[in-house]
Amino acid sequence: QVQLVESGGGLVQAGGSLRLSCAASGRTFSSTAMGWFRQAPGKERNFVARINRTGAVRYYADSVKGRFTISRDNAKNMVYLQMSSLKPEDTAVYYCAAGPDYCSGSGCYALPTKYDYWGQGTQVTVPS
């Protein structure tokens, strides 16, 4: 069992930066892959980034590549999402998720169904 708690959301002007944090409980944290997803009002939950259990492999959605960076600290059971050059279209509730380190199928890391545990979400608002 893994419990996840996100923090760090808020209101930031376009072009600004924000760092989201996700605190994980459970002894299996270092063996799980971690992901960030986001959901805007009236839209489906979309993949943002994923990091494998060691931190050596990272994936990003095309829309955030070059602007967002996912990282983890296994000693602290923490995952981070550093967001820069924020745009109004980044406005959403951001969710932290945990799942098996391995998944089969091309692009499987981007599927919400490949994650077993979810946080409650943190709101990020970038006014236009």
Side-chain angles (χ1 to χ4, degrees):
Q1 190 81 7
V2 177
Q3 292 184 323
L4 305 172
V5 179
E6 302 97 334
S7 61
L11 188 149
V12 59
Q13 297 302 312
S17 299
L18 208 59
R19 188 177 84 154
L20 304 183
S21 299
C22 174
S25 64
R27 291 176 291 177
T28 61
F29 175 78
S30 61
S31 63
T32 63
M34 300 297 297
W36 286 96
F37 287 75
R38 64 187 182 186
Q39 187 167 19
K43 297 188 176 181
E44 62 184 18
R45 191 168 298 189
N46 290 325
F47 170 75
V48 175
R50 173 185 166 104
I51 188 167
N52 79 324
R53 61 182 181 87
T54 66
V57 181
R58 310 177 194 195
Y59 297 101
Y60 296 94
D62 288 342
S63 59
V64 307
K65 206 170 291 184
R67 299 188 299 122
F68 290 11
T69 301
I70 188 171
S71 62
R72 68 188 295 161
D73 185 338
N74 286 348
K76 297 182 179 179
N77 279 19
M78 295 291 294
V79 179
Y80 306 99
L81 185 69
Q82 179 68 47
M83 307 184 294
S84 60
S85 301
L86 283 161
K87 306 175 182 179
E89 50 264 43
D90 295 319
T91 295
V93 176
Y94 283 71
Y95 296 92
C96 175
D101 193 54
Y102 171 78
C103 67
S104 61
S106 178
C108 65
Y109 54 83
L111 299 176
T113 54
K114 297 299 183 182
Y115 297 81
D116 300 318
Y117 303 99
W118 293 84
Q120 82 291 348
T122 186
Q123 176 71 46
V124 172
T125 302
V126 187
S128 56

